[in-house]
Amino acid sequence: MSALKTSAEGHIRWTNWARNEIAAPATVSRPASVEQISDAVSTARAKKLQVKALGSGHSFTAIAAAHGGAAIDLSQWTGVESADIESGLVTVRSGTTIKQLNAALDRLGLAMINLGDIDAQTISGAISTGTHGTGAKLGGIATQVAALQLVLADGSVVSCSADERPELFNAARVGLGALGVISTVTLRCERSFCLQADERPVPLEEVIEQLDELITGHDHMEFYWFPYGRKALVKRNDRLPLDAAVRPLSRPRQFFEYTLMENVVFDAVCRLGRVVPKLVEPLNNLSSNALSPRAYSDLSHRVFVTTRNVRFVEAEYAVPRESLVDVLNELRAVVPTLKDPVMLPVEIRVAAADDIWMSTAYQRDSAYFAIHQYPGMPYREYFDAFEKIAAQVGGRPHWGKMHSLDASVLRERYPRFEDFRRVRAEVDPNLVFRNAYLERVLDLT
């Protein structure tokens, strides 16, 4: 979960995973029931404190920061409340991490339809910020939500779905934490399934030539481009028949490739590049050339999720899928002109259009560009240049990733922006759930 520490003097400090955002809440509560969440909200409101729910702190923005407000730590509110194996509907408490959820679903013989590659987020935080995986025919995690229960600013507990309070549901599936505290999430899951994974280095020009085939020819496809290397790491995951035998990577190989090479060794390489910036380009090229192919099969969540111990800061934009190559080429052109080198690769994924008001994929098939920089290395010029490239094609920022946009720009990129603001004003007229980030992106006054 997110880092909450109390000093000897009694001062509370919250830090996110990337350690680029810090907040000092006035109070912290740790509810273990819906009633206690309601009490925490009502108590904060009576004290005229803003309220923010804390998950795992994996957002790179200050979306969950409770500066001088009331922080509600959901780490004691976890687990599956109910599950219907036949329908696949599973209701889970909002503080449950995706890692915990995957383990619980495993025991039920169920699985999430699609996932991202990090499982540290809480399920409520993941849907509230628009977290997604990859797949041309699949939407983000929020598209798997069938119903929500929320605690509103007045302490009342309400439910919403496509049939019950549908406007609140349309807003709350990617609600930015601006509507209330999510208490439970009901997900549409399916029978447990396995994936065949194929990961291999491919020359970038070849990836571009085969891009349409790669996107449409596989259930899940993504690639990592190393800015100074000739090759990209292409990951293709495809569903296997339900009765298929699986061949996971051996434990020694998992340790060598994921724990040792992709975390310990890569972190050492990044540290060296931070100390000696002129080495970044050759080190990046070396990392690209050192990639090795691997093929294996396993339960879906074991294939989707990757261990990430190397910290970074990140910006991510969704652009129209047809703009993928143009944006990539613009990014390729700008990187060599930067004053400071780029240490980490760019991750590129795809998702299907959806109907969720504040989803980055609202009404358009999307390509996602996630750019990263190693902590302590300059990133502002790189991130600003990327934002300008994304702006040319109407790029929408991931709500949990770093960006500089405010409401004046965002209302032009989200057709239902004002509908979201209207619903937000209806359920929280006194701005109980605001903070500085939400004031900027939603024009809250």
Side-chain angles (χ1 to χ4, degrees):
M1 302 296 282
S2 57
L4 275 169
K5 294 184 178 179
T6 303
S7 69
E9 296 77 25
H11 301 303
I12 306 167
R13 190 179 78 164
W14 167 87
T15 308
N16 68 341
W17 177 84
R19 299 173 180 165
N20 66 310
E21 293 289 348
I22 298 172
T27 66
V28 175
S29 59
R30 294 178 174 84
S33 68
V34 176
E35 292 75 20
Q36 289 178 11
I37 296 174
S38 176
D39 288 344
V41 172
S42 297
T43 299
R45 184 186 180 198
K47 294 180 179 179
K48 300 188 184 312
L49 294 175
Q50 267 72 53
V51 175
K52 299 311 299 177
L54 302 183
S56 60
H58 216 282
S59 289
F60 296 82
T61 66
I63 193 168
H67 295 289
I72 298 180
D73 179 356
L74 295 171
S75 60
Q76 303 301 308
W77 180 237
T78 64
V80 171
E81 287 218 327
S82 64
D84 185 323
I85 307 301
E86 189 66 29
S87 68
L89 291 175
V90 177
T91 298
V92 59
R93 294 168 182 159
S94 55
T96 307
T97 65
I98 293 176
K99 182 176 183 178
Q100 292 170 330
L101 176 58
N102 286 335
L105 292 177
D106 232 1
R107 293 190 290 270
L108 295 169
L110 297 173
M112 296 279 283
I113 298 165
N114 195 15
L115 287 169
D117 58 0
I118 294 174
D119 61 4
Q121 310 99 318
T122 60
I123 186 61
S124 55
I127 64 172
S128 295
T129 56
T131 297
H132 60 93
T134 189
K137 297 178 181 179
L138 298 165
I141 293 177
T143 64
Q144 301 170 54
V145 175
L148 293 167
Q149 183 188 79
L150 296 96
V151 177
L152 300 184
D154 61 1
S156 62
V157 181
V158 302
S159 297
C160 60
S161 66
D163 300 318
E164 181 181 7
R165 301 189 69 158
E167 284 210 324
L168 179 58
F169 184 62
N170 285 332
R173 279 183 288 172
V174 180
L176 318 187
L179 306 169
V181 178
I182 295 174
S183 48
T184 65
V185 181
T186 300
L187 298 160
R188 293 187 190 89
C189 300
E190 62 178 84
R191 184 176 170 185
S192 181
F193 62 96
C194 296
L195 291 170
Q196 175 65 47
D198 183 279
E199 304 172 8
R200 62 187 61 248
V202 179
L204 183 60
E205 298 299 339
E206 189 176 318
V207 175
I208 293 173
E209 290 173 7
Q210 300 175 356
L211 196 56
D212 287 341
E213 179 184 342
L214 288 169
I215 290 173
T216 61
H218 297 278
D219 294 325
H220 313 271
M221 191 284 298
E222 64 180 308
F223 65 97
Y224 290 80
W225 164 57
F226 289 79
Y228 307 107
R230 293 188 310 103
K231 295 179 181 179
L233 175 64
V234 180
K235 294 187 175 184
R236 290 163 276 207
N237 299 328
D238 292 292
R239 289 190 176 220
L240 291 171
L242 292 177
D243 59 351
V246 297
R247 295 179 176 82
L249 290 176
S250 65
R251 287 188 179 274
R253 190 172 180 190
Q254 286 183 47
F255 174 80
F256 177 78
E257 298 206 9
Y258 292 111
T259 302
L260 185 61
M261 297 303 295
E262 293 191 6
N263 283 287
V264 177
V265 173
F266 187 58
D267 188 52
V269 168
C270 291
R271 288 175 182 271
L272 178 59
R274 183 173 62 187
V275 173
V276 189
K278 65 173 62 177
L279 292 179
V280 168
E281 187 168 340
L283 288 171
N284 192 278
N285 188 44
L286 176 65
S287 297
S288 171
N289 290 326
L291 298 169
S292 59
R294 56 188 172 227
Y296 62 97
S297 55
D298 210 333
L299 287 170
S300 58
H301 67 89
R302 294 177 185 165
V303 174
F304 285 134
V305 174
T306 303
T307 300
R308 295 285 181 84
N309 295 324
V310 179
R311 293 181 191 266
F312 50 84
V313 291
E314 179 177 357
E316 182 176 29
Y317 272 77
V319 302
R321 203 170 84 192
E322 61 269 21
S323 301
L324 193 162
V325 174
D326 290 338
V327 171
L328 176 58
N329 285 334
E330 292 249 13
L331 202 53
R332 293 172 70 190
V334 82
V335 165
T337 71
L338 298 174
K339 175 184 173 184
D340 299 295
V342 178
M343 188 71 241
L344 300 180
V346 177
E347 181 183 19
I348 300 169
R349 295 175 285 175
V350 296
D354 62 46
D355 63 351
I356 303 171
W357 289 356
M358 297 300 275
S359 167
T360 49
Y362 180 76
Q363 291 190 336
R364 74 183 188 194
D365 292 337
S366 299
Y368 290 87
F369 283 77
I371 68 170
H372 314 81
Q373 183 62 297
Y374 193 67
M377 298 183 71
Y379 65 85
R380 190 71 273 163
E381 181 189 14
Y382 178 37
F383 283 23
D384 287 347
F386 171 56
E387 279 199 319
K388 290 178 182 177
I389 294 169
Q392 295 172 7
V393 292
R396 297 169 179 163
H398 188 304
W399 296 110
K401 309 293 175 68
M402 298 167 71
H403 69 93
S404 65
L405 302 190
D406 60 21
S408 66
V409 177
L410 293 166
R411 65 169 38 94
E412 300 300 320
R413 302 194 189 177
Y414 287 86
R416 305 303 294 269
F417 188 84
E418 290 302 332
D419 289 318
F420 182 89
R421 280 171 35 89
R422 172 177 52 80
V423 171
R424 192 221 60 77
E426 290 170 358
V427 297
D428 183 17
N430 296 314
L431 298 171
V432 171
F433 296 109
R434 76 177 177 187
N435 64 6
Y437 177 83
L438 294 181
E439 287 173 358
R440 170 167 67 91
V441 301
L442 294 176
D443 189 21
L444 302 182
T445 56

